[in-house]
Amino acid sequence: MGERLSNDVVEDILGHLPVKSLTRFRCVSKSCDSIITHPTFITKHLKLNLNQSESLVSTNTHSEYLLYTTKVKSRSPSSKHLCAVVCNNDSTLTQISRFEIPSLFEKHSLVGFCNGLFCLASRRNDLNHIIYLWNPSIRMFKKLLATPVTDEYKKEHKRSVVGLAYNSQNNDFKILRLLSVSLGPGAEAEAEIYSLSTDSWRKVVITMESLRGYEPNFGRIVKIDPPCIFLNGALHTLAITSSHHFILSFNVNDESFREIMLPSSPFDVDTNFTQHASFKGSLAFFAFADSLRGAFCNIWVMEEYGVAESWTRIYRVPMIWVGDVRFCGCTDNGEVWIKNSTGLISFDPESPNLNVLGVEDADWVGFTANSMESLILLDGE
């Protein structure tokens, strides 16, 4: 009779398997199920996948992935799927996975994703305090109850922005919930942080520290606009005071807020809308302008993170028309994705050519350098 493998060896073998295989191995034996669902193994599996992903990115041997949600026409109007496709070199797309979004999330929108975990929050005009964490790979979700807005005046004039991030220092997922009141005596932003490791919410005070070394004096934040972009270990959203626009940064490791100045002159007179994003790994700012002189997309990149003087306009891209365009994001290789009446379109800022993709009715769009799946939330069964 052969010698039985030790639990350490079994755990090491299982740690290199994909999530789909691991979910099947749970049925093999109680000992396998015990290993796979243990928090220590879940963390180990996540870190192994993160290391592998970082290795592929560093050697430029990885593919880029498009994530999007779409309605299922053959079912009820509220039925949606989350799709993941590979962005091929010839600008075609190859689907690799498709998950049905639980009907429970019908009144919620995807606001972020990180390491296989997705965050869904109530739509912006709905201040319901219910937020969900969802891991489609293992078909599990977690319902979170943030602090509800009870003041009737604040309900009428308040808006919320939610972002999801991964704290690499202590292997924790965090949610930042920002609330802003646009009018009245209570016109001041509030912040609340959720930690998955402690399964708890706590309020924090937004005391801003400038990345240039001094405390800014722009007055109270009265408006915060999505999205909440996770980059360089921090979440970034656009903040507005009565006289100033800037990017509000939240470092998930030390939980500090900082102000990042926008480019000195990012707006044309005819600017329709703006958007901050990640562009080739750098913080970027997009300004779409449409006028009688033509339509343009101005792309500014912060070449040295946190240094306002390093903002550089690297592209001024002529566009057909931006009046009915929604910005969707950028791939790591610098392709910009937008959506108009024809569907999703990608373009290279260095080329005038537009690539119309075969994706229709995409509600939400995201990009990732890896299609990493994880076991996060499995230990919460």
Side-chain angles (χ1 to χ4, degrees):
M1 186 174 179
E3 184 178 347
R4 182 183 177 186
L5 296 175
S6 67
N7 282 346
D8 288 342
V9 174
V10 172
E11 183 176 324
D12 186 61
I13 295 172
L14 293 175
H16 291 82
L17 295 179
V19 169
K20 190 174 183 179
S21 299
L22 291 173
T23 55
R24 292 174 178 172
F25 270 105
R26 291 183 61 191
C27 303
V28 172
S29 66
K30 288 185 177 180
S31 60
C32 277
D33 181 67
S34 178
I35 291 173
I36 294 170
T37 58
H38 196 278
T40 302
F41 177 79
I42 293 173
T43 299
K44 179 179 180 179
H45 185 266
L46 174 63
K47 289 184 175 180
L48 283 171
N49 277 275
L50 283 173
N51 291 336
Q52 182 182 20
S53 175
E54 290 172 359
S55 176
L56 291 174
V57 171
S58 64
T59 56
N60 200 29
T61 56
H62 71 295
S63 299
E64 293 185 287
Y65 299 88
L66 165 69
L67 306 172
Y68 66 92
T69 60
T70 184
K71 294 179 181 179
V72 183
K73 295 180 180 179
S74 61
R75 299 189 180 182
S76 66
S78 61
S79 182
K80 291 185 179 181
H81 280 180
L82 170 67
C83 303
V85 297
V86 177
C87 302
N88 302 313
N89 292 332
D90 60 357
S91 297
T92 60
L93 304 175
T94 303
Q95 186 173 116
I96 58 172
S97 64
R98 189 180 186 98
F99 299 98
E100 184 172 359
I101 300 176
S103 58
L104 185 67
F105 304 156
E106 180 181 353
K107 294 183 179 181
H108 290 67
S109 300
L110 280 167
V111 294
F113 65 97
C114 191
N115 300 339
L117 197 62
F118 291 78
C119 181
L120 298 98
S122 302
R123 294 185 174 90
R124 190 168 56 182
N125 59 350
D126 178 5
L127 293 173
N128 190 318
H129 59 290
I130 297 175
I131 295 173
Y132 289 99
L133 285 176
W134 176 44
N135 186 336
S137 301
I138 58 174
R139 291 172 170 78
M140 293 190 66
F141 65 85
K142 186 177 181 66
K143 182 179 180 180
L144 311 176
L145 300 178
T147 303
V149 178
T150 56
D151 185 283
E152 291 301 322
Y153 181 85
K154 288 186 176 182
K155 279 184 178 181
E156 185 177 352
H157 299 286
K158 209 160 198 174
R159 66 192 310 179
S160 65
V161 174
V162 177
L164 173 67
Y166 175 68
N167 183 348
S168 58
Q169 290 188 357
N170 60 6
N171 186 47
D172 190 14
F173 289 85
K174 291 184 179 181
I175 293 175
L176 173 66
R177 183 187 186 221
L178 295 166
L179 299 172
S180 59
V181 180
S182 57
L183 298 170
E188 189 166 10
E190 302 172 1
E192 194 173 18
I193 301 170
Y194 171 82
S195 167
L196 182 60
S197 62
T198 61
D199 190 23
S200 61
W201 289 92
R202 56 191 173 84
K203 289 188 175 183
V204 292
V205 179
I206 302 178
T207 53
M208 285 185 301
E209 174 186 330
S210 172
L211 286 178
R212 295 175 297 169
Y214 62 85
E215 186 76 18
N217 185 25
F218 300 130
R220 296 180 297 181
I221 298 174
V222 296
K223 186 179 179 183
I224 298 174
D225 281 338
C228 214
I229 303 294
F230 185 48
L231 176 70
N232 289 337
L235 288 165
H236 304 79
T237 190
L238 185 65
I240 302 170
T241 68
S242 58
S243 60
H244 185 65
H245 292 61
F246 62 95
I247 293 176
L248 179 65
S249 163
F250 173 73
N251 187 301
V252 297
N253 290 326
D254 62 16
E255 297 190 349
S256 62
F257 288 94
R258 292 187 174 183
E259 163 262 337
I260 298 179
M261 296 287 291
L262 290 175
S264 57
S265 56
F267 306 105
D268 285 344
V269 175
D270 302 301
T271 296
N272 290 47
F273 64 94
T274 61
Q275 182 82 65
H276 61 289
S278 171
F279 183 81
K280 294 185 178 182
S282 297
L283 185 61
F285 191 76
F286 292 73
F288 293 84
D290 188 11
S291 70
L292 295 176
R293 296 173 297 169
F296 296 91
C297 171
N298 295 308
I299 304 176
W300 298 73
V301 169
M302 181 171 266
E303 296 183 337
E304 185 177 349
Y305 182 72
V307 179
E309 291 76 15
S310 72
W311 280 113
T312 304
R313 191 176 74 176
I314 57 174
Y315 297 112
R316 180 176 174 83
V317 185
M319 301 189 69
I320 299 173
W321 186 50
V322 299
D324 190 28
V325 165
R326 179 165 66 89
F327 176 84
C328 295
C330 311
T331 63
D332 278 1
N333 64 12
E335 278 196 348
V336 179
W337 289 54
I338 58 177
K339 180 184 177 183
N340 65 9
S341 58
T342 63
L344 281 178
I345 294 175
S346 70
F347 67 89
D348 184 339
E350 297 182 354
S351 168
N353 299 324
L354 297 178
N355 182 35
V356 180
L357 303 163
V359 177
E360 299 179 359
D361 300 325
D363 296 326
W364 172 88
V365 177
F367 297 91
T368 178
N370 62 73
S371 61
M372 194 182 76
E373 298 176 343
S374 71
L375 298 169
I376 302 300
L377 300 184
L378 189 60
D379 55 336
E381 282 188 315

